């Protein structure tokens, strides 16, 4: 008689997990093109806590998570004429 082994839950757990998307960062120039904002405006909004702060990427490099910028953009009111 064969001993039955309990089925591994590893396969089931990984199947239930949502796919992990890679985090992408936007450097200042790219972020300015996406948002249409200027450098001074961006840093003023950050100081007033109205814009996502950048993440440190290195000693002299920062970038914004594209997901943070997308969420900020989606929360902006739509202009109406």
């Amino acid at each position: 008689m064969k001993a039955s082994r309990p089925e591994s839950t590893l396969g089931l757990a990984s199947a239930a997990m949502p796919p992990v998307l890679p985090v992408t960062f936007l450097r200042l120039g790219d972020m300015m093109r996406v948002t249409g904002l200027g450098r001074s405006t961006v840093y003023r909004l950050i100081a007033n806590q109205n814009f996502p702060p950048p993440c440190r990427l290195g000693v002299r490099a920062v970038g914004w998570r594209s997901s943070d910028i997308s969420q900020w953009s989606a929360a902006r009111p739509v202009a109406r004429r």
Side-chain angles (χ1 to χ4, degrees):
M1 184 165 140
K2 265 187 168 178
S4 64
R5 294 188 308 187
E7 290 194 26
S8 172
T9 58
L10 181 61
L12 296 174
S14 63
M17 298 285 292
V20 177
L21 299 175
V23 176
T24 56
F25 291 93
L26 300 172
R27 296 298 302 269
L28 180 62
D30 297 328
M31 188 272 305
M32 287 169 46
R33 276 188 287 283
V34 168
T35 62
L37 300 174
R39 182 178 191 268
S40 298
T41 303
V42 167
Y43 284 106
R44 185 176 66 247
L45 290 171
I46 291 169
N48 294 332
Q49 299 181 349
N50 293 322
F51 195 79
C55 300
R56 181 141 314 272
L57 302 176
V59 176
R60 295 182 54 182
V62 297
W64 284 261
R65 287 184 190 93
S66 58
S67 59
D68 290 347
I69 300 303
S70 295
Q71 288 174 356
W72 175 84
S73 179
R76 304 293 301 159
V78 177
R80 302 191 189 221
R81 291 187 171 197

